Amino acid sequence: VIGVIIVAIIAAAMSAYSSNINSLAAVTMEDFLSKRIEIPANKYVTYSKLAALIWGLITLVLAFFMGDIAKTVIEAINKIGSVFYGPVVCMFLLAIFTKKIQAKSANTGVIVGVLLNLILWIFFKNIFWFWWNVIGAVTTFVVAIFCHYFVYKKIAVQNTYLVVNPSFKTAFFTKETAILFGYFILIFSFCYFLTSLV
């Protein structure tokens, strides 16, 4: 039984790992290689496998240097993710609630937000990594707005001011939102009940 459990855990980990590698390989092929070089149709699968192999080797090499990040695997995953969560969430919010922010401004904000989080990680050990999410999101927003108005102003389309989507109210208050909010309350209540048992 112990052997079956271990195999199940390893299989689940391999499934998640393989999907990540496939995603990285697909993005590499579609967003980088295909736009820069002409790939023959009969070589596309071979190139994709090569990209997956390269990404697999990169992740394996990086894994050797990640053992001392945190005491547990869950904490290590969330610590690494916190470098990117805030900037990525802010990019999605900019895309949803604004019409005029260019992709260059948003991308610049994300890059600066991630770099700032990396600086905090390396040089400012007294800042708890939970705060990287907020700091990264705020930095991404400020830099994106600044780049929109001052750096990439000449390529702005039509007006250069921030426009809130007028359909936000109707888009937010939907049946799906109510269901998600209900699930949130249910999960929160369940977690609170578990903590009260301890």
Side-chain angles (χ1 to χ4, degrees), residues 12 18 21 27-28 50 59 68 72 79 82 85 121 175 177 188 195:
S18 65
I21 296 299
V27 169
T28 302
L50 184 61
T59 54
D68 297 329
T72 63
K79 192 172 182 180
S82 293
Y85 292 154
W121 187 351
K175 184 176 76 172
T177 306
F188 182 81
T195 56

Side-chain angles (χ1 to χ4, degrees), residues 31 53 75 108 136:
D31 293 342
L53 176 64
E75 185 179 350
T108 304

Side-chain angles (χ1 to χ4, degrees), residues 2 19 46 49 66 109 134:
I2 295 174
S19 64
T46 304
K49 290 180 179 179
M66 300 296 169
V134 179

Side-chain angles (χ1 to χ4, degrees), residues 9-198:
I9 293 172
I10 293 174
M14 289 177 64
S15 174
Y17 181 68
S18 65
S19 64
N20 292 335
I21 296 299
N22 285 331
S23 299
L24 288 169
V27 169
T28 302
M29 291 297 297
E30 290 297 322
D31 293 342
F32 293 97
L33 292 181
S34 296
K35 293 182 178 180
R36 289 169 174 77
I37 61 174
E38 189 71 28
I39 301 175
N42 59 344
K43 296 287 185 181
Y44 194 89
V45 175
T46 304
Y47 283 22
S48 298
K49 290 180 179 179
L50 184 61
L53 176 64
I54 292 172
W55 277 114
L57 292 173
I58 290 172
T59 54
L60 284 174
V61 170
L62 291 175
F64 286 105
F65 301 98
M66 300 296 169
D68 297 329
I69 288 180
K71 295 179 181 179
T72 63
V73 175
I74 300 297
E75 185 179 350
I77 292 171
N78 285 301
K79 192 172 182 180
I80 295 171
S82 293
V83 174
F84 304 96
Y85 292 154
V88 170
V89 167
C90 184
M91 175 180 264
F92 277 106
L93 292 177
L94 286 171
I96 292 170
F97 297 124
T98 64
K99 292 182 178 180
K100 303 300 179 183
I101 301 295
Q102 311 98 317
K104 283 187 176 181
S105 300
N107 290 334
T108 304
V110 169
I111 292 171
V112 173
V114 170
L115 288 176
L116 178 61
N117 283 340
L118 289 174
I119 291 171
L120 294 175
W121 187 351
I122 296 170
F123 298 107
F124 297 91
K125 305 290 185 182
N126 57 335
I127 298 178
F128 190 51
W129 55 270
F130 274 11
W131 286 104
W132 300 348
N133 299 290
V134 179
I135 294 171
V138 172
T139 303
T140 300
F141 180 79
V142 171
V143 172
I145 296 297
F146 178 81
C147 289
H148 173 71
Y149 284 108
F150 300 105
V151 180
Y152 304 119
K153 187 176 181 180
K154 292 182 180 178
I155 63 172
V157 181
Q158 296 178 357
N159 298 323
T160 57
Y161 52 83
L162 189 68
V163 178
V164 177
N165 191 346
S167 62
F168 167 72
K169 185 175 181 180
T170 57
F172 184 76
F173 296 103
T174 61
K175 184 176 76 172
E176 290 80 9
T177 306
I179 293 172
L180 288 173
F181 185 72
Y183 275 120
F184 168 75
I185 296 297
L186 183 64
I187 293 170
F188 182 81
S189 302
F190 180 72
C191 293
Y192 183 79
F193 174 73
L194 285 179
T195 56
S196 65
L197 294 178
V198 178

